[in-house]
Amino acid sequence: MAARGPQTAQRRDRTDRRAELLLGALAAAVLLLIAFMIAFVFAKAWPSFAHNGLAWFGAGGNLDEQLSAIFNSPSDPSDYVYTLHAWPLIYATALITGISVVLGTILSMLAAMFIVDFAPGWMRATLQPVVRLLAAVPSVIYGLIGILVIVPFFGNQVISAERKESVQYVIQLDGSSILVGVLVLTVMITPIMVAISVDALRSVPATWTEGAAALGVNRWRALRTVGLRAARPAIVAAAILATARALGEAIMLSMVTGSVAFAPNPLDGVTFFFEPARTLAAQIVDGSEGLSVKPFGETMYAFAALLLVSSAFLSFGGWLARRSMRKYTLAPR
Amino acid sequence: MTWKRPLAVVAAFAVGASLAVVPAAAAKPTITMSGSTSVAPLAALLAKKYIADCGGCVTFKLLQGGSDVGISDVASGRVTIGNASRDPKPTDPGGLVFNKIAHDAVCIVTNKANPLPGIDEAGVQAIFGGSVRSWSSVPGSSASGTIDTFVRTPASGTQDAFQKIFLGSTRLFSGASQKASNGLIQQSVKADPNAIGYVSLSFADGLHTVPYKGVACTERNAKSGQYGGQRNLYMVTRGPATGAAKAWLKWITKSAAAAAVVNTEWVSLQ
């Protein structure tokens, strides 16, 4: 026994080293793959950015007509049309993602607090698996429900004929709108946020909230001031994950809002919510049929590049936010 | 731990062997096709009939993905035939041969609750161009209120055909709702009593098809050439077709059996 001890330890050591090398190689391969992907997308997208400069991000003209002109470019590569002002897409992406994530965060926070602290045992036992199931539903199913049920309902019942007439020469209000997009997207991203927040709230030591209770604070206040605060980094992580999912959501949004490259104007009052829009990801889905037309394909890659950059910024922002909240966590991360 | 390894090796062999068997059995020539979703249903029916007729002389592989996907696939040699529902464009790669296989009718459709008795070229251009936005100013319409126009995305073959055949130089209404497929237009028009849109004839089920210039959008009127809204369907090859593909294209354009298949929902060239 005494003689074999060090040998086994040594062997275990070697196995560890081998595993370390293998995992390291895999991690490096993943990094390399990401680097290649970014380089590839940007190389493909370059002509579109180079031709338009900063005006690419600006507003101007009708985006759908610009896309048609790009698609119908003449055959000579030196005559390719690239002129594009992508502002309506960028604006719609920020608008729909932003509203959905804010709504989703509030909803999921309340739901998580209810599940952790207020729900009776049997309800908690059913709610939790249901939330996890909802988080795993593929987005195309939400899209189908959206286009078969919600869009016609809004178009035929909710939006009045007078409202449709008031803007009829500018835009048509047929039900596919930012409101339906935000509604469905919120329903889509909330479950995953609830699941993460529940785990986070539960990992707050009972002694902390009990301490607060011992000082005479009621349950709601103890949860709000102690539990929520301690769980903040995880909640930020949940919001980041949800934002990433919302940013990349393409099929569903293409089905329920991705109709017109239009920048809805908040000054229109209630009508604003019934106006259609198209996000960057939905544009890539809608335009995928024309990828083989070179300038059109390069324009689609430019949209993809913008999405890549924004998700990179998102990860970085999330890291910063978590760093600044480190003081609230139990152990240094 | 160790007993698992031989098992995994055996499993790997079994998988490898089963994969190897498949190509070995298929010694017959294979025709691969990709492209237009409008052509795909026709191509599938034709292929089935062709295999039955020639006693299984070839095998087919059919993929979809839109006209431009088919054209770029055939240009790069990934497939034997690229299916396209649009006419050749100046940006298409050189050396391609567009073999016309059939005509297809593009129908103007409205909701069943609004059976528009007819429309002419000026009417189509006014509605889809956005200068007429209210059903009350469309003669014969039983709907009232704003017109909801549904069109295809700019990159679609059907949109290309619609612009050329019906709109000419009129620019599409910029507020029109864009949909990514024939099926989505069909669904949207079915769900909205104020809707108008256009689809390939085979997608007009459950909708009211509006007679164009006094001619109903039916398979018979399209065949007789009376119906104006027709487009061409193509099978594109790199250079003139050779071997099995040549025989297949000749069968489509010359044989009576193929014409019968085409004439179910499309219009044969014969």
Side-chain angles (χ1 to χ4, degrees):
Chain A
M1 280 300 267
R4 277 172 61 190
Q7 211 187 346
T8 6
Q10 207 176 12
R11 192 183 299 158
R12 194 180 303 141
D13 221 36
R14 217 177 311 147
T15 327
D16 275 356
R17 180 122 0 109
R18 255 198 320 227
E20 195 181 298
L21 277 176
L22 184 71
L23 292 177
L26 275 177
V30 169
L31 280 181
L32 211 63
L33 198 72
I34 292 176
F36 269 123
M37 194 176 75
I38 292 175
F40 177 77
V41 169
F42 273 88
K44 284 274 195 184
W46 182 244
S48 180
F49 289 126
H51 187 279
N52 290 295
L54 277 179
W56 194 94
F57 300 92
N62 178 336
L63 182 66
D64 279 323
E65 273 167 21
Q66 289 158 7
L67 284 171
S68 286
I70 292 170
F71 182 67
N72 294 313
S73 286
S75 56
D76 187 358
S78 58
D79 293 339
Y80 280 169
V81 180
Y82 282 108
T83 311
L84 181 90
H85 304 289
W87 173 248
L89 301 179
I90 300 169
Y91 170 67
T93 309
L95 187 76
I96 293 179
T97 307
I99 302 180
S100 306
V101 170
V102 169
L103 280 180
T105 309
I106 296 169
L107 277 178
S108 64
M109 211 66 23
L110 295 175
M113 282 159 79
F114 176 74
I115 291 177
V116 168
D117 236 36
F118 297 93
W122 60 268
M123 196 185 253
R124 189 180 308 161
T126 37
L127 272 180
Q128 265 186 307
V130 168
V131 165
R132 267 163 224 275
L133 182 78
L134 279 180
V137 173
S139 67
V140 69
I141 294 181
Y142 289 109
L144 274 181
I145 295 172
I147 198 164
L148 291 177
V149 183
I150 307 176
V151 168
F153 173 73
F154 272 86
N156 299 336
Q157 257 82 41
V158 176
I159 307 173
S160 70
E162 293 76 47
R163 194 184 295 290
K164 287 184 185 182
E165 256 163 47
S166 68
V167 289
Q168 67 183 14
Y169 287 99
V170 185
I171 196 71
Q172 85 189 25
L173 312 176
D174 54 49
S176 46
S177 54
I178 52 175
L179 179 63
V180 177
V182 163
L183 267 180
V184 181
L185 196 57
T186 306
V187 170
M188 231 178 81
I189 60 174
T190 304
I192 184 83
M193 294 175 81
V194 174
I196 295 175
S197 308
V198 164
D199 287 345
L201 283 180
R202 193 159 289 156
S203 66
V204 174
T207 46
W208 291 19
T209 36
E210 277 164 18
L215 292 172
V217 172
N218 64 19
R219 260 205 303 182
W220 163 248
R221 189 139 178 228
L223 193 62
R224 198 164 50 86
T225 52
V226 179
L228 267 192
R229 219 167 266 199
R232 255 196 264 182
I235 289 164
V236 169
I240 299 279
L241 196 69
T243 315
R245 193 173 176 195
L247 262 185
E249 181 46 48
I251 304 278
M252 186 280 285
L253 286 178
S254 157
M255 287 163 99
V256 305
T257 69
S259 310
V260 191
F262 178 75
N265 185 354
L267 297 178
D268 290 351
V270 181
T271 308
F272 166 72
F273 292 102
F274 298 129
E275 285 169 345
R278 189 193 293 142
T279 64
L280 284 164
Q283 173 61 65
I284 296 174
V285 169
D286 288 349
S288 59
E289 233 187 314
L291 285 180
S292 67
V293 176
K294 202 160 173 274
F296 192 79
E298 284 161 349
T299 308
M300 293 299 130
Y301 274 107
F303 297 143
L306 186 63
L307 276 179
L308 262 181
V309 170
S310 41
S311 55
F313 268 104
L314 194 65
S315 315
F316 183 65
W319 174 76
L320 272 187
R322 272 202 303 269
R323 225 172 95 94
S324 66
M325 284 179 192
R326 210 180 254 171
K327 54 179 181 268
Y328 299 110
T329 46
L330 312 176
R333 292 194 176 182
Chain B
M1 270 315 269
T2 44
W3 61 271
K4 269 188 184 162
R5 220 165 273 171
L7 203 67
V9 171
V10 169
F13 263 105
V15 170
S18 64
L19 282 179
V21 167
V22 178
K28 295 180 284 191
T30 303
I31 297 177
T32 49
M33 295 186 279
S34 75
S36 168
T37 49
S38 306
V39 181
L42 173 62
L45 288 177
L46 284 172
K48 206 179 277 175
K49 183 73 180 155
Y50 186 60
I51 290 171
D53 269 18
C54 75
C57 57
V58 290
T59 50
F60 285 98
K61 263 192 203 136
L62 176 62
L63 301 164
Q64 303 194 17
S67 299
D68 281 283
V69 172
I71 287 166
S72 75
D73 278 357
V74 72
S76 63
R78 279 193 290 271
V79 295
T80 336
I81 288 173
N83 295 330
S85 62
R86 64 157 174 79
D87 294 332
K89 281 192 349 162
T91 35
D92 289 337
L96 296 181
V97 177
F98 278 67
N99 306 284
K100 204 182 284 183
I101 58 157
H103 295 303
D104 176 32
V106 176
C107 300
I108 312 268
V109 288
T110 57
N111 190 283
K112 282 232 153 151
N114 178 26
L116 204 62
I119 198 164
D120 57 3
E121 197 171 4
V124 172
Q125 290 174 357
I127 290 177
F128 284 92
S131 55
V132 167
R133 294 290 298 134
S134 176
W135 278 116
S136 47
S137 41
V138 178
S141 155
S142 57
S144 60
T146 306
I147 300 175
D148 289 341
T149 41
F150 292 94
V151 301
R152 292 287 305 277
T153 47
S156 105
T158 313
Q159 166 62 32
D160 186 66
F162 182 77
Q163 179 78 44
K164 281 204 184 106
I165 300 167
F166 293 93
L167 289 187
S169 58
T170 307
R171 294 200 321 184
L172 207 61
F173 173 45
S174 64
S177 194
Q178 294 184 8
K179 301 287 168 193
S181 72
N182 273 310
L184 284 173
I185 298 245
Q186 186 183 21
Q187 161 57 32
S188 302
V189 175
K190 206 183 272 184
D192 184 345
N194 282 350
I196 189 164
Y198 54 86
V199 290
S200 181
L201 175 59
S202 42
F203 287 88
D205 296 344
L207 307 173
H208 170 71
T209 54
V210 185
Y212 177 61
K213 292 181 183 166
V215 184
C217 181
T218 60
E219 200 268 311
R220 212 174 66 188
N221 288 340
K223 180 159 179 53
S224 71
Q226 280 177 290
Y227 183 72
Q230 288 196 44
R231 61 169 165 167
N232 303 316
L233 300 182
Y234 296 96
M235 287 195 175
V236 185
T237 51
R238 189 162 65 163
T242 54
K246 187 179 179 184
W248 152 246
L249 287 172
K250 192 176 166 208
W251 178 84
I252 294 177
T253 45
K254 295 280 184 288
S255 79
V261 171
V262 173
N263 280 331
T264 50
E265 279 188 84
W266 298 270
V267 181
S268 166
L269 301 174
Q270 298 174 36

